[in-house]
Amino acid sequence: ITAPRDVIDAAESNAPLVGGEVLALEQFRELRADLTGIEIVSSAIQADAVFHDRFLNSGLYVPEPTLLATLSYDAVALALRAMQSGNVAAALEQIEYTGLNGTIRFSGGYWADAPIYTYQYDDEGKLALAR
């Protein structure tokens, strides 16, 4: 089995299909007629009600927060904290950040103990936690 390289390849792939955040993109949902048998595996947690409301109220014409919204928020906060130290690479190896997606710390350049969530599309085409 060859993994899809981009959102178009993913949209044209046969189900069942298990993959990463590319399967959660709005473009994927728009390009694919049937979302049955699609599973998304990610370390992102869906936005809770507080984050959802803050996100929507952050400006005009703001879209609904996607699965990547919480990861993006945590990544920016973590990067800003690391940049304050002056040595970003060293700071990332030392930092322990508690954000929307739980505790984030790095070991060997990777997110140590990253949570794993599986999502599926419900009958309305919205992502729902599968297990």
Side-chain angles (χ1 to χ4, degrees), residues 6-68:
D6 57 34
V7 71
I8 294 171
D9 282 349
E12 294 173 349
S13 295
N14 294 327
L17 182 60
V18 178
E21 288 87 2
V22 71
L23 304 180
L25 294 174
E26 182 177 334
Q27 295 86 344
F28 175 80
R29 290 192 310 265
E30 291 176 2
L31 289 169
R32 190 171 183 97
D34 184 9
L35 297 170
T36 305
I38 306 300
E39 287 191 5
I40 297 103
V41 180
S42 176
S43 292
I45 192 159
Q46 289 180 303
D48 64 14
V50 172
F51 182 82
H52 179 271
D53 291 346
R54 279 188 14 225
F55 190 88
L56 290 180
N57 291 323
S58 66
L60 293 175
Y61 312 111
V62 176
E64 289 288 322
T66 64
L67 189 59
L68 293 177

Side-chain angles (χ1 to χ4, degrees), residues 117-130:
Y117 302 103
T118 303
Y119 298 93
Q120 293 177 323
Y121 287 98
D122 64 17
D123 293 337
E124 297 174 5
K126 295 185 179 188
L127 284 182
L129 195 59

Side-chain angles (χ1 to χ4, degrees), residues 77-119:
L78 194 135
L80 289 172
R81 186 177 291 177
M83 287 189 298
Q84 289 174 344
S85 75
N87 185 341
V88 174
L92 287 176
E93 282 296 321
Q94 304 294 321
I95 204 165
E96 185 166 305
Y97 169 81
T98 302
L100 299 171
N101 292 283
T103 300
I104 301 173
R105 64 181 182 78
F106 295 94
S107 178
Y110 295 95
W111 182 355
D113 305 317
I116 305 292
Y117 302 103
T118 303
Y119 298 93

